[in-house]
Amino acid sequence: AVFSNNVQVFFCKLKNFNGTYLKLERAFYTKKQDVPATATDEQKKAIENNISLVKVGDEVYGPENIMMIRSDQVLFWQDLKGDSKVAKAIDDAK
């Protein structure tokens, strides 16, 4: 998990972590579901807790599943446990 200084978190295989740019391979990020203006309070509450993982590369402009991020834009990173919910979701997406 790579935490950037703009509050975005990327889940990936981190490479080249000693250079000016970090290479993020097989990257995913989280996305909250949009809440429709017509949603009831009950629907809003359910939707607000619905977060999904998006694979980098599935965007409409079709990028590869590799990202380069400036190392000075990263606050910190952590390894994920193999049995974490995020790690399992990424394994399921393969």
Side-chain angles (χ1 to χ4, degrees):
V2 176
F3 295 80
S4 70
N5 61 5
N6 70 353
V7 189
Q8 181 70 50
V9 180
F10 297 99
F11 303 98
C12 58
K13 188 65 134 177
L14 180 60
K15 302 279 184 152
N16 189 39
F17 42 85
N18 291 321
T20 303
Y21 283 88
L22 306 179
K23 184 176 185 179
L24 312 181
E25 294 181 349
R26 299 188 332 242
F28 290 78
Y29 58 91
T30 57
K31 180 179 178 184
K32 287 185 116 179
Q33 185 175 349
D34 293 332
V35 179
T38 58
T40 65
D41 287 342
E42 187 174 301
Q43 290 170 327
K44 287 178 185 177
K45 193 179 286 188
I47 291 171
E48 287 173 356
N49 293 324
N50 191 8
I51 298 174
S52 60
L53 279 176
V54 177
K55 182 178 180 180
V56 171
D58 288 348
E59 296 83 1
V60 70
Y61 59 95
E64 293 187 11
N65 188 241
I66 295 173
M67 293 180 63
M68 302 296 283
I69 185 172
R70 286 182 53 90
S71 58
D72 62 358
Q73 300 297 307
V74 173
L75 295 174
F76 64 96
W77 62 80
Q78 294 179 303
D79 290 336
L80 298 179
K81 293 181 181 177
D83 63 350
S84 74
K85 289 181 181 180
V86 171
K88 287 180 181 178
I90 290 171
D91 284 342
D92 291 346
K94 288 182 182 176

